[in-house]
Amino acid sequence: MGAAIATPIAIIASSIFSAKSWGAVVSREYGIPCIAGLHGATRQFKTGDYALLNGNKGSLQKLPKPETS
């Protein structure tokens, strides 16, 4: 496969639904959970946001950033 991903990724959420989309291919290659077809996800979530991914329901919920001590 191409270049390695430099930033750690926990999940991939995409508003595009396709087995050949970038998110689907990368998630399969690296064993990362992915939900595709979340319309509006790219407008609601930004890189670095904390989220709860429910693969059984196909939902993604935005979480507050944890407090640092």
Side-chain angles (χ1 to χ4, degrees):
M1 181 144 196
I5 297 174
T7 304
I9 297 174
I11 63 171
I12 295 176
S14 172
S15 42
I16 299 171
F17 178 74
S18 167
K20 295 182 181 181
S21 70
W22 179 87
V25 172
V26 170
S27 69
R28 279 192 304 268
E29 183 70 23
Y30 289 97
I32 300 167
C34 176
I35 290 185
L38 292 171
H39 300 287
T42 55
R43 287 186 294 265
Q44 296 176 18
F45 294 89
K46 304 294 179 215
T47 300
D49 282 349
Y50 286 80
L52 176 63
L53 175 72
N54 185 327
N56 292 325
K57 291 182 179 179
S59 65
L60 186 65
Q61 176 186 1
K62 197 170 195 175
L63 299 175
K65 288 191 177 186
E67 295 181 20
T68 57
S69 46

